[in-house]
Amino acid sequence: MFQYPPQALLPTATPNMRPPPHMLQYPPQALLPTATFGMRPLPHPQARSYFGDGESFFPGAGCVSTVGAYFHFGVTPPSFNVPAAPSPWAAPGQSILSTSGKEYRPNSHSTSAVLGALRNGTDRFPSTRAEMQMVQDLVMSAEGSPHVVGLLAEGDARVRKRVLAGIRHVVHKVMKDDVGGHAVFLELLRACDGKHDELEFIIDAVCNGKGVLMKVFNNEHLGRKALGELIEMMARNLPLCERLIRGLLEKEGLLQESTGDVVLRHCFTVLPNKEECSLIIIRHALENIGDVLFSRFGWRCLAECLANAHRGDDLKALEDVVVKLTSEIAKGTWSFQLLQQILWSDNEDLKMRVVESVAADIVGLAMHRAGCYVVRACFLGTRSSPEALRRLLDALLPLGPRDLQALVLGWFSNDIVQKLLVEGKNAFPAETRALAAKIEGKLGAEARKQEQAQTVLDLIFKLFPFGGGAPQ
């Protein structure tokens, strides 16, 4: 029979003896971080802390909070084991700071606490990342934002400055936030009206050179409205207006953005000091003409400047550059559209100057895949000024057989020749008939066999059936 060992032989454990190694060992309770006010323990109690800049970063925790914030809210930092200290402005019963790694959303207790801090906090509030995060979450919450709007409407300078400090790093997100941030931003603008330093602070925060502002403007209806309100607010103060325009141009690259022309149009519409602001915009465009002109959207901004900027020496200088670079612009992947805009505009003087430049390089442009659209616009967009069509006919008549044959057989220029003959028949019959006769007489036998040549010859016979293109 199996004999159980006597009870006295079983191993006994004294209070100070360590449990067997195979058993799960728990750290003494006194070493665990403690939390007050119903706060959950920190998710990484063994995480390392880095105190080089006075802040503690917990890898994987999903949030960044200052050491001071832990003491404020009665939570022992992972690297310390000290008694919890109550926060001077935290609401008992619920922590304002979340360490769950999820996005913070204020509840009724935390909303009251942060609102109280906005109204009654110290001059340094908010100063830590944790405090700024609380203000940001309050501003962009459906529950807290109406209260913030109400506080701003009261006109308290301390509240205004604390909100400015809290949202300065996420101002673009606030501008487009449809929950509450957008309303807070607009009320903040109204609250700062007439306060130069604070409006200057907003301009610097919005135009921070990170390229975020134009993305907000491009994709968000609320962001677009917020920037429009900012421009209208700055229009009342010339130094601030100039600061905003320079920020948009130099830091945000306005003239090369997809909706830069929309912003410029708004500026030209609402800014009463159009001469000064136009001067800044045009000079910036001239200084960066290559980058702007041949960028994907820069031509739109230049077209807006040419159409709406204040007439002056600087705008005349921009027109001179466009005329001088007509051939290069006409062959640009996107810039050729600028010349089309000009040729369809009401600026008759600039139109004729562009036509003269096109006529000087009629063969090269008519045979180019982009330039051909500019040549076509010279006589289709200027029907109110038939002189442009006559100038192109005069440029074609002196051409030799080689150039004429190249135009007739060219993939893009063949259509240009046909349209010139059709448009010129009634407007300038003598010059058009002379051009038709020259084409018939100069085309070689091999060229006549080409399909493109046959198309032009058939058109000439249809337009001038009696004797073809020969003068009567």
Side-chain angles (χ1 to χ4, degrees):
M1 177 178 292
F2 178 76
Q3 298 288 329
Y4 289 94
Q7 293 296 319
L9 297 179
L10 289 174
T12 59
T14 63
N16 296 325
M17 183 176 292
R18 197 182 285 272
H22 64 276
M23 295 181 62
L24 183 62
Q25 301 183 38
Y26 296 92
Q29 291 297 317
L31 298 180
L32 288 175
T34 59
T36 59
F37 306 140
M39 190 173 196
R40 293 188 301 273
L42 293 172
H44 294 279
Q46 303 301 327
R48 295 177 59 193
S49 298
Y50 303 87
F51 300 100
D53 57 355
E55 296 182 347
S56 179
F57 296 83
F58 304 102
C63 67
V64 179
S65 56
T66 62
V67 175
Y70 279 94
F71 289 117
H72 272 309
F73 298 107
V75 181
T76 304
S79 299
F80 294 89
N81 185 29
V82 297
S87 168
W89 52 274
Q94 178 66 36
S95 171
I96 301 176
L97 181 62
S98 170
T99 57
S100 64
K102 299 180 180 179
E103 184 178 2
Y104 165 78
R105 289 297 178 193
N107 54 40
S108 58
H109 296 291
S110 62
T111 297
S112 300
V114 181
L115 286 171
L118 282 176
R119 186 191 292 272
N120 304 313
T122 65
D123 291 340
R124 296 182 64 252
F125 173 83
S127 59
T128 67
R129 293 188 184 183
E131 292 171 347
M132 285 190 285
Q133 183 65 48
M134 294 172 203
V135 175
Q136 295 162 16
D137 292 333
L138 180 71
V139 165
M140 292 184 283
S141 70
E143 179 184 0
S145 58
H147 298 290
V148 178
V149 170
L151 289 176
L152 290 171
E154 292 177 3
D156 191 324
R158 295 174 302 172
V159 173
R160 194 168 58 246
K161 292 178 179 179
R162 287 164 187 162
V163 173
L164 282 171
I167 69 171
R168 69 181 185 273
H169 294 306
V170 293
V171 64
H172 304 108
K173 186 176 180 180
V174 172
M175 290 170 69
K176 68 176 183 178
D177 180 66
D178 58 355
V179 177
H182 177 73
V184 171
F185 182 81
L186 295 185
E187 185 61 37
L188 184 61
L189 282 181
R190 289 189 283 270
C192 293
D193 189 12
K195 300 168 180 62
H196 186 94
D197 292 344
E198 294 172 16
L199 290 175
E200 195 174 62
F201 184 91
I202 294 177
I203 293 174
D204 293 340
V206 170
C207 302
N208 58 13
K210 296 181 179 179
V212 180
L213 174 62
M214 293 310 300
K215 292 180 181 178
V216 171
F217 186 85
N218 294 345
N219 302 319
E220 302 290 343
H221 171 70
L222 295 179
R224 181 170 296 196
K225 181 180 178 182
L227 180 58
E229 293 280 348
L230 178 62
I231 293 173
E232 293 181 22
M233 178 70 70
M234 299 306 119
R236 307 171 191 174
N237 186 312
L238 181 58
L240 289 176
C241 177
E242 293 180 354
R243 189 182 185 95
L244 176 60
I245 294 297
R246 292 187 188 280
L248 291 172
L249 294 172
E250 298 171 4
K251 294 184 178 180
E252 301 299 325
L254 178 68
L255 297 185
Q256 299 180 52
E257 290 289 339
S258 59
T259 51
D261 58 320
V262 181
V263 180
L264 284 179
R265 190 178 308 124
H266 191 70
C267 290
F268 288 132
T269 302
V270 305
L271 297 180
N273 304 299
K274 181 179 284 191
E275 183 176 356
E276 290 81 358
C277 294
S278 294
L279 193 66
I280 296 173
I281 296 170
I282 299 301
R283 287 184 177 177
H284 181 82
L286 287 170
E287 292 170 1
N288 302 273
I289 190 64
D291 294 334
V292 174
L293 190 57
F294 299 104
S295 64
R296 184 173 183 178
F297 305 110
W299 67 270
R300 294 182 185 177
C301 295
L302 292 179
E304 196 65 39
C305 292
L306 291 170
N308 295 305
H310 175 78
R311 306 301 302 182
D313 293 340
D314 290 277
L315 185 59
K316 182 66 164 53
L318 180 59
E319 292 178 347
D320 292 343
V321 170
V322 171
V323 172
K324 182 180 179 180
L325 300 176
T326 293
S327 292
E328 290 83 352
I329 298 172
K331 295 176 182 179
T333 304
W334 298 289
S335 58
F336 75 94
Q337 298 173 84
L338 171 62
L339 297 179
Q340 286 184 302
Q341 289 271 16
I342 293 173
L343 292 167
W344 285 93
S345 71
D346 297 328
N347 192 336
E348 298 296 332
D349 178 66
L350 182 58
K351 283 163 65 172
M352 287 307 302
R353 295 177 67 192
V354 170
V355 170
E356 289 289 342
S357 296
V358 170
D361 189 20
I362 184 75
V363 177
L365 295 180
M367 297 180 66
H368 192 271
R369 62 183 179 84
C372 65
Y373 291 102
V374 177
V375 177
R376 184 180 297 137
C378 284
F379 55 87
L380 295 182
T382 57
R383 283 173 173 165
S384 59
S385 301
E387 196 60 33
L389 175 60
R390 179 169 187 165
R391 182 65 189 88
L392 294 182
L393 291 172
D394 291 343
L396 291 174
L397 284 171
L399 296 178
R402 184 173 181 178
D403 288 335
L404 277 177
Q405 182 171 301
L407 288 173
V408 171
L409 300 180
W411 183 262
F412 303 106
S413 55
N414 177 269
D415 183 65
I416 296 294
V417 172
Q418 294 184 58
K419 283 185 167 55
L420 274 171
L421 292 171
V422 172
E423 292 289 328
K425 180 179 182 295
N426 295 324
F428 302 100
E431 290 83 353
T432 306
R433 182 181 292 275
L435 177 60
K438 191 167 186 178
I439 291 174
E440 275 194 325
K442 300 298 182 181
L443 282 180
E446 290 297 324
R448 289 174 179 273
K449 298 178 183 179
Q450 301 292 326
E451 181 179 353
Q452 295 94 323
Q454 284 296 322
T455 304
V456 174
L457 293 174
D458 290 344
L459 177 64
I460 290 175
F461 180 78
K462 181 179 179 180
L463 294 174
F464 305 100
F466 302 103
Q472 295 180 350

